[in-house]
Amino acid sequence: MSSTPTSVTVPGPAVPARALKIQSRLRMSATWALIKPYWKSDDRLAGLGLLALVVVLNLGIVYINVLLNEWNRVFYNALEQRDYASFKVLLVRFSWIAAFFIVAAISRQYYTMMLQMRWRTWMTGRFMGHWLGHQAYYRIEQTHATDNPDQRISDDLRQFTDGALSLSLGLLNSVVTLLSFVGILWTVSGPISFALGGTEWTIPGYMVWFAAGYAVIGSLVAHVVGRPLIGLNFQQEQYEADFRFTLVRLRENSEPVALYRGEPTEQAGLRARFDRIRANWNQLMRYTRRLTFVSSGYAQFAIIFPILVAAPRYFAGKMTLGGLMQTSSAFGQVQGALSWFVDSYATLVGWKAAANRLIDFQEAIRIAERQDESLHGTRDIEVAHTGQPQGGITVDGLALALPVRSARSAAVGQRPLVSPFSLSVAPGERWLVSGPSGCGKSVLFRALAGIWPYGSGTVTMPEGARMLFLPQRSYLPIGTLADALAYPDAGTEHSAEVLQAALRQARLAALADQLDVFDNWSLRLSPGEQQRLAFARALLQKPDYLFLDEATSALDEDTEGAMYRLMVESLPRAAIISIAHRSTVAAFHGKRLRYVPQDGEAAQAAQAGLPGVSYRVVCEA
């Protein structure tokens, strides 16, 4: 077998220029809608208190800079006059000013980080609540409305809150600095006079106008050069998350990949995904190089620019050395304040890319939440409760459909799958659901669980009925075996004796002494052990309605029969509804729900595995 990686096509081509242009938009109103809710939340008082403290510390640092500016004038005048006594006094004064500056800077950083974490904590809770609410996380995956929600909740939220605070506080600091130093620069720079066209012109506070013009030109150039970085950063985060997800998926499926000898294909797929990262990174390098050229050149020339502009007055004897240094310092503060946009542009584009990803993620969540309402003129599947604890499940006019995502928009349409049918399941009944693969048997279970919005009809449940769904591969959380067994309850809600008894009944006696072992049980246990663990979970949950979706597919016939007998004997009043292909399972069920194609032509298409086939349901007692 060759070890040379094969060529593979990775889903998700590079984002086209039009999409990149959309991702580069500023979308300020939507960004403000992300920022505003925290400052109106229950945590707003603590947040506003920290923000006020940070603002006061910022103002204090600006005031210290004003003192340092004045100190520059006096200090360099003392050097020019060789005044040693004043020189010593000024050094002591500088020590005190520097000490206060260090304390203020450290405090500002500390409380800014505290505010960042409070804001991030609140936003993370809010996004997770909406993502997990209404099964939005499930519906987003069904329609592929957005990519890598885990990365958006973890990385993008962190970058958004950190960037919002650092940029806004930096802007505030620049405004206050500008207001504090513009008067100083206006006074110390004085007027400049020159002749133009035979007319004498005088510009008062000319250094202020030079600083403003210098900053405006630099800001415009930086924006023109650096704006594409917003879309490129957006793409880079997406590609990095795709690559990381593929690595995690390979780790979780290491055994089947090893059995298939699939390493060359996996390596080729990983390389292809990384090539997308590298290609986008190359574009980032080019645009970042241009932006760095602009910002670095801008910053370096700003060092000498005020000296060049003020030099004529100094050499004319109209300004002392101290005045020259004070002018240079004040010009630097004013120019730096006006240059906030240039200096912060690299941070701004990264923050805006994270904000755009969060905006898209929030919109995907809202679309998922709206799927409880009407979709394209058809009514959703309504799951209601009778208000009575007794009685069974009643299905009335239930039609099932599949989602169809438009290639031209984010709209989600529907393709009919199962024509309307009615059904009644009483307590203690045993139903077997059978039919060709892909006919919609699992979709029926999802509709009964209330998580499938595509189709129409009504499902009525008895009030307070406990329902448990065991899919072919049950979810096992990372944690102790007790937590995996009792899920969604905590392992501590059941005694060790009860948990051990359930394991033994499910033929997992070898695991009875490992309840406190922490592990990734979905990787440690074999598929058959995982399915038996799910049956042990059913013994703990004691559901009124137990739905088994090929829940014994990994078991031998003897163990399969033992698990079904265990359910029938341990849960005599529970209704059991099973999806299974083995004929041996039928012996444990008294009724059948059979899926058949709509007509003969559809039957042939179904046998050939062609898409677009619709089915009808036949109930057999």
Side-chain angles (χ1 to χ4, degrees), residues 38 64 148 208 332 362 404-405 410 419 512 543 554 597:
Y38 174 69
I64 292 173
N148 302 297
V208 174
Q362 183 171 258
V404 179
R405 187 176 177 84
S419 58

Side-chain angles (χ1 to χ4, degrees), residues 163-465:
L165 282 175
S166 62
L167 289 169
S168 58
L169 291 174
L171 179 60
L172 173 66
N173 188 73
S174 295
V175 171
V176 175
T177 298
L178 177 63
L179 295 177
S180 301
F181 282 93
V182 69
I184 296 174
L185 183 60
W186 185 282
T187 301
V188 299
S189 66
I192 187 173
S193 299
F194 59 93
L196 181 64
T199 305
E200 187 76 15
W201 297 85
T202 300
I203 302 177
Y206 74 101
M207 293 286 283
V208 174
W209 302 110
F210 273 101
Y214 189 76
V216 168
I217 293 173
S219 299
L220 291 174
V221 174
H223 182 58
V224 171
V225 171
R227 183 173 181 179
L229 286 170
I230 298 177
L232 291 172
N233 273 285
F234 185 105
Q235 286 186 180
Q236 192 69 22
E237 292 294 331
Q238 176 183 344
Y239 295 158
E240 294 281 3
D242 287 342
F243 182 64
R244 184 169 59 247
F245 174 79
T246 306
L247 290 171
V248 172
R249 189 170 182 272
L250 174 60
R251 188 188 70 186
E252 292 181 345
N253 294 275
S254 56
E255 181 176 336
V257 171
L259 292 173
Y260 275 113
R261 299 292 192 269
E263 295 85 359
T265 300
E266 292 300 321
Q267 185 177 7
L270 288 169
R271 283 185 175 178
R273 283 174 171 80
F274 189 79
D275 284 344
R276 285 164 49 181
I277 294 176
R278 185 177 60 183
N280 195 75
W281 185 262
N282 288 337
Q283 294 189 67
L284 274 171
M285 288 169 54
R286 288 194 292 270
Y287 281 100
T288 302
R289 179 179 60 187
R290 298 174 189 175
L291 180 61
T292 303
F293 175 80
V294 171
S295 59
S296 296
Y298 178 86
Q300 291 301 312
F301 189 65
I303 297 174
I304 196 66
F305 184 73
I307 302 295
L308 293 176
V309 175
R313 296 192 70 223
Y314 173 75
F315 288 113
K318 298 180 180 180
M319 182 182 293
T320 64
L321 177 61
L324 178 64
M325 300 309 297
Q326 184 184 25
T327 300
S328 176
S329 174
F331 181 92
Q333 293 288 349
V334 171
Q335 177 266 331
L338 291 171
S339 302
W340 171 86
F341 187 77
V342 177
D343 297 336
S344 303
Y345 201 86
T347 303
L348 181 63
V349 294
W351 173 76
K352 196 65 198 74
N356 285 350
R357 285 177 60 80
L358 289 175
I359 292 168
D360 290 346
F361 182 40
Q362 183 171 258
E363 182 59 27
I365 292 176
R366 288 173 178 168
I367 291 174
E369 291 174 339
R370 287 198 297 267
Q371 287 179 348
D372 285 336
E373 302 173 358
S374 172
L375 286 174
H376 302 284
T378 64
R379 59 192 181 94
D380 282 340
I381 300 169
E382 179 184 356
V383 179
H385 292 85
T386 62
Q388 300 294 329
Q390 304 299 323
I393 298 176
T394 302
V395 173
D396 184 22
L398 180 61
L400 301 175
L402 294 176
V404 179
R405 187 176 177 84
S406 172
R408 298 181 179 180
S409 68
V412 179
Q414 299 188 55
R415 177 175 70 79
L417 179 63
V418 178
S419 58
F421 69 97
S422 298
L423 173 69
S424 179
V425 179
E429 290 185 342
R430 313 285 188 251
W431 283 83
L432 177 64
V433 183
S434 62
S437 296
C439 64
K441 301 185 297 295
S442 297
V443 173
L444 170 61
F445 278 18
R446 295 167 190 162
L448 295 176
I451 65 173
W452 191 260
Y454 309 104
S456 61
T458 302
V459 177
T460 305
M461 300 284 185
E463 188 69 29

Side-chain angles (χ1 to χ4, degrees), residues 601-616:
E601 183 179 344
Q604 295 177 0
Q607 292 176 358
L610 297 177
V613 179
S614 60
Y615 295 84
R616 59 188 177 87

